[in-house]
Amino acid sequence: MITHLYSDLPLSFLELNSPPSPTFQTRLILSSMNMGSNNGGARQSSSHPATTVAEALEIARDSEDGTQDPTVGNLLETAIAEIWARIQARPTSYVMNREEFAVFNYFQHRFEGVQVASSARKRYWDSLETTNDKDHQLQPQRRFDMESGEDHELLDSVKNGHLNKDELFLGRSDGTGFEPRRTFKMIWDRPLLLSFATCCIGLLWIFSDCVVASHGDQHEITSASLDLARNAARTPAATPSSAVLECFQVYQPVLFPSGAVDETVTSDGSENTTTIAPTTPATSCEVLLMEHSFGFSYGIPFVGDYTPPNCNFNRVVMNFTVTSQGRQFDRLALMYFGDTEVWRTSTAEPTVNGIRWEYIKDMTEYMYFWNSTQKLIFDLGNLIDSTYTAPFNTTLTATFFTAQETVNPASLIIPISARKGNASAASVFELPSDNATNTVSFPRNVNRAIFSVSACGQADEEFWWSNVLESNIDTFVPVAGTLYGYSPFREVQVLIDGQLAGVQWPFPVIFTGGVVPGLWRPIVGIDAFDLREHEIDITPWLSVLCDGNEHTFEIRVAGVLDDGENSGTLTETVGSSWYVTGKIFLWQ
């Protein structure tokens, strides 16, 4: 998920539109796969010094203080100065290539409100569309002179300055290397050629009457045949669909007042909430919890007040509906009642024509909160600028009803979090930088206790399941820098008074921008819309916890530190960052 404000346009190593300076030369390297996703994609390392503009840009993007490195700063400042000089020299016609635009976009804050810069940016995007259109056109025909043996397409390239005529080569058929192009001539026997031409003229004169006599009928038949073929082959022109894309996650049906409901997609692509197992309709009421558009929303969560509805209920179901249109990364979202996280979700990546999704979640387990007034905090950090243009327009409702099936919700829920609800802020811990510890006390009459932990990797740890052993992190330094380590194993630990009480081995959730974004459209990855929590039964600890004293609860995330041979140990730290919270459900 995105946790910084830098853009992450891909870099390529294409030829510059105009001769570049030595500082803007790039060398061909093997690049690691861009994982996209909500952190802006690929994770780059800055462990080796930058020698090219491309490397300097990746280092600067990867760290907020990356430009403080003199080498990185000098490379980028020189590059942007040259690019801006080219634009100013041709303010209405210069078109940046992809490397230039990547640097220009990094420094976009310098050009806010500058019309010349805005026009240059627009020309770049227009040029991409033009390039895509040209890819579908026919290539120029290659002309080969039979008399001189010269390839005119290659000669045209020489005239245009793309090739040196003295360096035209053909590959050897035996694959041993290259040799100069050979020329050849077709030597015609002139008498034989004259005889062949005379025969052709004679045959044409002999059959001319037949050709003339049948010419009219033949023309009529041919026209009719062509019309028939043309009409038979005529089909509507293919046009891109302008429909909004319906995204969804596969999940189990949820009980509603009318019965069990599920998301279904019709043949035309529209999505509907359908009752698949109807029951006797129950009385219900609905409350609008949130209607909000998340644009530039980092550190600015939605904050609202929830008041219990005036109806009887023993079930609560939430409906989260989102629309978005434009260009945007996937984002992480956390919902709180005060200091307690009650739901964690993520967004789909929008399209030009727009997307929509709807997720239904049973929230009956939080009846302790639904029965009283609460502060609702919904944190969905998003970024809006000239590149990432799509806000997330959200609607969150809760349906309250009474069902025949009874449940036994917890009578008390205690948060284990950063406890920033009073400041109307998100109460998530960020590991390993934070100390995810709370001190709490239990009532003496508790008979059951469940610790629920919510944890997912972000930034350097979003793709933790693809990390390498610590002994292998420097294997590809010359081409890819230092890799992310601590192995592809993670363990979320819960400690009570410093003693290990339980562990969770997190599920590798792939967000909609991860690995190959096209794989998650329209069906998102497992748990992408509902990041499930893990429950640890701490009831055996009640004899200690219900003594009337305070006790510490801590959440840690561990990896593996190997010795490079055949053994390893669990670590007390991992890369940055893991977003974790916990809560304790108590039954009295």
Side-chain angles (χ1 to χ4, degrees):
M1 313 299 289
I2 283 291
T3 56
H4 53 75
L5 302 183
Y6 297 134
S7 62
D8 192 28
L9 292 177
L11 290 177
S12 62
F13 300 94
L14 305 176
E15 183 181 2
L16 293 172
N17 291 334
S18 57
S21 69
T23 59
F24 209 81
Q25 294 288 349
T26 57
R27 58 186 176 86
L28 185 61
I29 63 172
L30 295 175
S31 60
S32 58
M33 179 181 293
N34 187 336
M35 291 293 187
S37 102
N38 36 20
N39 281 317
R43 306 170 301 180
Q44 299 292 337
S45 172
S46 59
S47 61
H48 62 287
T51 59
T52 67
V53 172
E55 291 176 349
L57 187 58
E58 289 303 303
I59 292 173
R61 285 172 172 167
D62 194 51
S63 172
E64 294 187 4
D65 58 355
T67 53
Q68 293 182 5
D69 184 317
T71 302
V72 172
N74 290 337
L75 284 172
L76 293 180
E77 290 294 343
T78 302
I80 190 61
E82 294 177 358
I83 295 168
W84 184 236
R86 292 172 188 155
I87 294 174
Q88 288 182 310
R90 295 162 54 191
T92 60
S93 61
Y94 187 75
V95 178
M96 292 179 284
N97 63 29
R98 190 167 291 184
E99 287 98 342
E100 291 176 309
F101 183 77
V103 176
F104 187 80
N105 197 61
Y106 178 79
F107 288 101
Q108 61 180 308
H109 60 280
R110 294 188 181 180
F111 305 101
E112 291 181 359
V114 180
Q115 183 59 41
V116 173
S118 299
S119 299
R121 185 182 294 108
K122 182 178 184 301
R123 285 195 300 274
Y124 170 78
W125 291 114
D126 291 344
S127 70
L128 292 184
E129 296 179 1
T130 303
T131 301
N132 291 336
D133 293 339
K134 288 182 178 179
D135 288 341
H136 299 286
Q137 297 176 0
L138 294 177
Q139 297 294 327
Q141 185 175 0
R142 194 162 194 165
R143 308 188 309 280
F144 194 88
D145 194 320
M146 300 298 292
E147 182 68 21
S148 65
E150 292 180 327
D151 189 324
H152 285 272
E153 182 181 79
L154 291 176
L155 292 181
D156 290 344
S157 298
V158 172
K159 295 175 183 177
N160 293 332
H162 297 304
L163 293 174
N164 185 336
K165 188 175 181 180
D166 295 332
E167 297 177 353
L168 297 178
F169 293 98
L170 280 178
R172 289 182 183 269
S173 59
D174 60 4
T176 59
F178 293 89
E179 63 180 355
R181 175 181 293 276
R182 298 191 184 97
T183 61
F184 65 91
K185 292 184 179 181
M186 296 187 65
I187 302 176
W188 293 86
D189 188 340
R190 296 180 184 274
L192 180 61
L193 181 61
L194 181 60
S195 300
F196 179 78
T198 302
C199 292
C200 290
I201 294 173
L203 290 173
L204 181 62
W205 178 76
I206 293 173
F207 291 104
S208 60
D209 290 341
C210 297
V211 173
V212 172
S214 61
H215 180 72
D217 294 339
Q218 181 68 30
H219 176 74
E220 183 177 353
I221 294 173
T222 302
S223 298
S225 300
L226 288 176
D227 288 340
L228 179 62
R230 188 183 300 112
N231 292 333
R234 185 173 297 157
T235 57
T239 57
S241 173
S242 60
V244 173
L245 179 68
E246 296 281 353
C247 301
F248 62 96
Q249 176 186 308
V250 177
Y251 61 97
Q252 65 186 24
V254 178
L255 182 63
F256 243 66
S258 58
V261 301
D262 200 0
E263 296 299 310
T264 60
V265 179
T266 60
S267 59
D268 62 358
S270 60
E271 183 182 3
N272 296 303
T273 301
T274 305
T275 301
I276 59 175
T279 61
T280 302
T283 58
S284 64
C285 54
E286 184 177 286
V287 173
L288 177 64
L289 300 176
M290 175 182 69
E291 191 169 29
H292 187 70
S293 180
F294 291 91
F296 198 99
S297 55
Y298 276 105
I300 311 175
F302 167 85
V303 180
D305 294 323
Y306 160 75
T307 301
N310 188 21
C311 64
N312 296 323
F313 60 92
N314 64 5
R315 294 274 185 167
V316 183
V317 176
M318 283 197 325
N319 182 307
F320 185 55
T321 302
V322 186
T323 61
S324 185
Q325 182 177 10
R327 184 181 186 184
Q328 195 55 264
F329 288 121
D330 55 295
R331 309 292 186 178
L332 185 69
L334 287 80
M335 174 183 170
Y336 304 85
F337 278 139
D339 296 327
T340 307
E341 179 186 342
V342 295
W343 187 39
R344 185 174 298 199
T345 183
S346 69
T347 69
E349 290 195 338
T351 64
V352 174
N353 293 324
I355 62 171
R356 176 188 178 276
W357 75 90
E358 182 178 3
Y359 190 80
I360 300 172
K361 182 173 176 62
D362 191 330
M363 298 290 286
T364 306
E365 63 180 332
Y366 296 107
M367 196 65 68
Y368 168 76
F369 294 118
W370 295 115
N371 285 326
S372 59
T373 301
Q374 301 292 332
K375 176 187 284 188
L376 170 64
I377 301 173
F378 200 100
D379 184 35
L380 195 166
N382 193 26
L383 169 67
I384 295 292
D385 59 16
S386 58
T387 302
Y388 308 109
T389 59
F392 292 101
N393 307 306
T394 66
T395 302
L396 181 66
T397 61
T399 300
F400 302 82
F401 62 100
T402 301
Q404 296 178 354
E405 296 82 358
T406 59
V407 294
N408 182 26
S411 53
L412 177 64
I413 301 176
I414 301 175
I416 305 298
S417 69
R419 296 180 179 260
K420 298 180 180 179
N422 288 336
S424 299
S427 295
V428 67
F429 286 122
E430 185 176 341
L431 298 180
S433 58
D434 293 343
N435 180 10
T437 302
N438 279 179
T439 300
V440 300
S441 60
F442 280 20
R444 289 183 176 271
N445 61 340
V446 176
N447 57 62
R448 183 188 178 200
I450 299 293
F451 191 101
S452 181
V453 60
S454 179
C456 65
Q458 298 290 279
D460 295 350
E461 286 284 301
E462 180 178 347
F463 306 106
W464 55 267
W465 39 265
S466 67
N467 287 13
V468 301
L469 294 174
E470 195 69 14
S471 59
N472 298 135
I473 61 175
D474 295 325
T475 302
F476 299 102
V477 165
V479 293
T482 301
L483 302 178
Y484 291 86
Y486 297 113
S487 84
F489 173 82
R490 292 294 179 270
E491 181 177 272
V492 181
Q493 303 172 341
V494 175
L495 293 88
I496 300 177
D497 293 334
Q499 300 183 59
L500 187 64
V503 299
Q504 171 205 4
W505 297 316
F507 182 81
V509 175
I510 301 178
F511 300 102
T512 58
V515 187
V516 181
L519 293 177
W520 323 122
R521 184 178 293 169
I523 305 177
V524 303
I526 299 173
D527 291 351
F529 284 166
D530 190 1
L531 281 73
R532 301 304 178 96
E533 300 185 7
H534 183 77
E535 296 182 349
I536 299 171
D537 192 343
I538 59 172
T539 303
W541 287 78
L542 289 180
S543 59
V544 175
L545 298 173
C546 294
D547 61 357
N549 297 321
E550 292 186 333
H551 298 271
T552 61
F553 286 80
E554 181 182 2
I555 303 173
R556 295 179 184 173
V557 179
V560 172
L561 182 63
D562 71 297
D563 61 2
E565 295 181 0
N566 55 11
S567 64
T569 58
L570 289 176
T571 66
E572 293 187 0
T573 186
V574 289
S576 177
S577 304
W578 277 81
Y579 288 177
V580 301
T581 69
K583 63 189 74 71
I584 307 170
F585 293 84
L586 300 179
W587 284 260
Q588 296 171 283

